[in-house]
Amino acid sequence: MIPYGRQEIIQSDIDAVVEVLQSDFLTQGPKVPLFEQTVANKVGAKHAIAVNSATSALHIACMALGLGQADWLWTTPITFVASANCGLYCGAQVDFVDIDPITYNLCPKALEAKLIAAEREGKLPKILVVVHLCGQPCDMHAIHGLSQRYGFKIIEDASHAIGGKYQGEYIGNCRYSDITVFSFHPVKIITTAEGGMALTNDDQLAENMNLYRSHGVTRDQNRMTHEPDGPWYYQQVELGYNYRMTELQAALGISQTERLDTFVALRHDLAKRYDGLLKELPVKTPWQHPGSYSGLHLYVIRLQLDKIGKTHREVFECLRGQGIGVNLHYIPVHTQPYYQKMGFMQGDFPIAERYYSEALSLPMYHGLTDVQQDTVVGCLRKVLS
Ligand SMILES: *Cc1c(COP(=O)(O)O)cnc(C)c1O
């Protein structure tokens, strides 16, 4: 099976992890801060907090921004469930904004219309989680403008987008957001096995996320209610979690970050090749914003079903049957049973649902060979003819 995504591990990655195994610290040592510094420097953010997944990063991001029971979090329906679940973890209510039919990202026009209505009803969101789907940056300039007008905070779920650029700057610099989150799951652009990171330019948000990552416990005297009892002393000042990243993961992350630009450039080569190979087929290839540089985590095509004598599902099954590990990113979150129980219904976000009925993720990863790519396209051509 040619998978839709997978990691690339080379000898220097292995050596980096083995070195940690033979060192004094398997966790809470020097590698995590070094990885944080490496990524923060790379993307141009002031602070980075490494955690055990992007899901954890989204959770501590929402906590640090003060999301609570009376609040609303909005996001896009075309994302992994974690982008919405982080709101539910904090007891907040979640709602969605439909996507743009060209970019597949949260639509700024739909956002504005929904904000106008929400302002009238006194139900403005506290946090908007935008997702750079497939690695393509959202229209952050427009969304940031709306955040100024309506007073919401912005989290960029950049799980697909590390190494990509918006207006010539690396995604993650938080120029138009409060916090940016990366994922290091093995299908993503760089990996630490499991892992994630939250970046911010705000000292207070960084300090709070740092607390929430590790039990809400501090050794900083300024955060304590009284003088330390002695040198052993720490205080729990918030309710936090154990979301820490290990030293092994951080060492792997440092090693992988060295190849980040190469990984993304290679994904662009693969995408260009797909664009050419798919030209004559009844599919819509992904639109790329001319002023942005996508991280290209995913290469999603849309089937022109009116020109194909098969259903979406039949095309998917035929390809899987031939060893092509196609996938579907994503099932609209509002159609998940857990969200339907909260009152969301089929038909609530029609552009997202239409997208879901036609989308197909083709294999896209560093290490996919031209021969494999030709096989993917050959199988697709046969299945669609
Ligand atoms: C992968 C992913 C996540 C979750 O990442 P983990 O590191 O697996 O927790 C969240 N949001 C999006 C958009 C993702 O693709």
Side-chain angles (χ1 to χ4, degrees):
M1 180 79 80
I2 301 175
Y4 85 84
R6 63 159 291 153
Q7 71 280 9
E8 190 216 44
I9 298 293
I10 62 174
Q11 192 59 43
S12 54
D13 296 318
I14 295 168
D15 292 344
V17 174
V18 169
E19 186 199 311
V20 170
L21 277 169
Q22 293 165 333
S23 76
D24 291 337
F25 295 101
L26 301 185
T27 187
Q28 294 175 287
K31 294 293 184 192
V32 167
L34 188 58
F35 182 36
E36 291 170 339
Q37 202 56 57
T38 302
V39 176
N41 289 347
K42 176 85 191 164
V43 304
K46 190 166 176 198
H47 303 281
I49 290 94
V51 285
N52 57 6
S53 71
T55 305
S56 303
L58 287 164
H59 186 193
I60 60 171
C62 287
M63 290 175 79
L65 290 168
L67 191 71
Q69 299 241 333
D71 298 323
W72 286 87
L73 175 144
W74 292 2
T75 188
T76 166
I78 300 298
T79 185
F80 186 56
V81 290
S83 318
N85 287 345
C86 56
L88 302 182
Y89 295 156
C90 295
Q93 302 202 66
V94 169
D95 202 354
F96 302 93
V97 180
D98 211 345
I99 62 168
D100 177 284
I102 308 285
T103 66
Y104 315 146
N105 280 330
L106 185 144
C107 172
K109 290 214 177 70
L111 174 63
E112 183 166 24
K114 199 176 173 91
L115 286 165
I116 291 168
E119 187 174 45
R120 255 188 265 120
E121 296 165 33
K123 280 168 43 175
L124 283 170
K126 179 155 195 164
I127 294 176
L128 179 73
V129 178
V130 297
V131 179
H132 305 311
L133 194 76
C134 306
Q136 169 112 268
C138 293
D139 185 349
M140 293 309 296
H141 185 75
I143 292 167
H144 182 255
L146 291 169
S147 80
Q148 301 290 97
R149 162 71 180 81
Y150 291 95
F152 57 86
K153 304 290 184 186
I154 300 174
I155 299 174
E156 293 176 73
D157 181 345
S159 294
H160 299 183
I162 191 169
K165 290 177 183 174
Y166 178 68
Q167 296 181 341
E169 297 177 342
Y170 277 110
I171 293 166
N173 72 354
C174 301
R175 182 175 299 285
Y176 295 110
S177 66
D178 297 280
I179 297 169
T180 300
V181 167
F182 293 137
S183 171
F184 308 124
H185 183 279
V187 298
K188 307 286 164 70
I189 295 165
I190 57 170
T191 191
T192 61
E194 295 282 355
M197 195 175 277
L199 296 102
T200 185
N201 295 323
D202 184 299
D203 299 346
Q204 195 62 53
L205 289 176
E207 191 183 322
N208 286 338
M209 289 196 284
N210 200 31
L211 268 181
Y212 293 129
R213 158 172 71 177
S214 195
H215 308 283
V217 157
T218 184
R219 287 180 185 276
D220 176 2
Q221 264 198 34
N222 300 317
R223 296 283 303 227
M224 293 185 187
T225 54
H226 58 79
E227 292 284 299
D229 294 352
W232 63 85
Y233 198 65
Y234 57 81
Q235 277 193 346
Q236 185 191 341
V237 295
E238 298 284 353
L239 182 60
Y241 297 82
N242 181 352
Y243 283 166
R244 292 188 304 260
M245 175 178 274
T246 68
E247 290 284 288
L248 292 97
Q249 292 169 303
L252 180 55
I254 295 164
S255 175
Q256 291 256 314
T257 305
E258 285 174 19
R259 308 204 294 290
L260 174 58
D261 291 335
T262 318
F263 285 165
V264 176
L266 206 119
R267 286 171 179 273
H268 277 262
D269 292 345
L270 290 170
K272 270 203 208 86
R273 209 157 172 276
Y274 267 138
D275 289 345
L277 292 168
L278 296 171
K279 253 200 185 92
E280 309 304 325
L281 298 188
V283 301
K284 196 163 130 197
T285 54
W287 182 82
Q288 300 295 342
H289 192 293
S292 293
Y293 183 67
S294 173
L296 269 169
H297 164 52
L298 298 173
Y299 189 89
V300 173
I301 58 168
R302 287 183 64 173
L303 303 179
Q304 296 177 322
L305 289 168
D306 51 342
K307 296 183 191 159
I308 301 168
K310 289 195 176 77
T311 65
H312 186 220
R313 181 174 174 162
E314 282 165 355
V315 171
F316 193 101
E317 286 176 341
C318 280
L319 288 166
R320 279 280 179 94
Q322 293 178 61
I324 312 299
V326 287
N327 218 308
L328 212 175
H329 302 92
Y330 290 92
I331 305 159
V333 178
H334 71 281
T335 67
Q336 293 290 354
Y338 194 84
Y339 282 84
Q340 300 253 300
K341 269 191 287 180
M342 291 164 24
F344 292 104
M345 287 191 292
Q346 205 72 39
D348 282 350
F349 303 98
I351 302 172
E353 292 167 31
R354 172 87 196 270
Y355 163 90
Y356 171 60
S357 71
E358 300 169 351
L360 195 64
S361 304
L362 299 184
M364 165 59 89
Y365 55 92
H366 186 276
L368 183 71
T369 63
D370 287 0
V371 173
Q372 286 174 316
Q373 214 181 5
D374 291 341
T375 305
V376 171
V377 175
C379 288
L380 187 63
R381 180 174 291 119
K382 245 191 295 159
V383 168
L384 296 183
S385 67

